[in-house]
Amino acid sequence: MDFFCKLVAPRNTFFQDITPEEGELMQRHGVYWRELMARGRVVTFGVVGDPKGVYGIAVVSYDSEAEVRAATDADPVIQAGAGFSFEIHPMPFGAVRR
């Protein structure tokens, strides 16, 4: 099953006033998600430039929400306790361009 994951930053201005330490953390975050993609778990991921506040998204394929939660909980931004959180929503219907 596919799931939509939304990464909520610790503040609305995160991408405008990111600190060097946060930039390093985001680099580790990107490496982590590229590794999941290489394992076939991630369909797509990236940044959404919403004028109300930029956020990250990923569409992932796992058998259960518990597996998705385990993957998002292992993300370096979550492990760092830096104020990030994930919203996870199942996608019961969808299609992927091949």
Side-chain angles (χ1 to χ4, degrees):
M1 175 178 230
D2 290 336
F3 294 84
F4 173 82
C5 303
K6 178 180 178 182
L7 177 63
V8 180
R11 59 189 180 281
N12 286 344
T13 59
F14 180 78
F15 287 96
Q16 288 86 22
D17 59 12
I18 188 170
T19 67
E21 295 81 15
E22 290 169 332
E24 183 180 309
L25 183 58
M26 293 308 293
Q27 291 294 320
R28 294 196 316 260
H29 163 77
V31 167
Y32 176 76
W33 284 91
R34 282 188 288 281
E35 288 172 356
L36 291 178
M37 182 175 272
R39 291 186 214 150
R41 293 298 189 173
V42 177
V43 176
T44 188
F45 74 96
V47 177
V48 176
D50 185 336
K52 297 176 195 165
V54 176
Y55 56 89
I57 66 104
V59 175
V60 300
S61 291
Y62 283 92
D63 292 331
S64 70
E65 188 169 334
E67 289 178 306
V68 178
R69 182 61 61 191
T72 57
D73 285 350
D75 187 319
V77 299
I78 301 301
Q79 292 288 306
F84 290 87
S85 63
F86 275 98
E87 295 176 9
I88 298 171
H89 306 282
M91 297 177 63
F93 306 102
V96 175
R97 181 180 67 186
R98 302 270 176 196

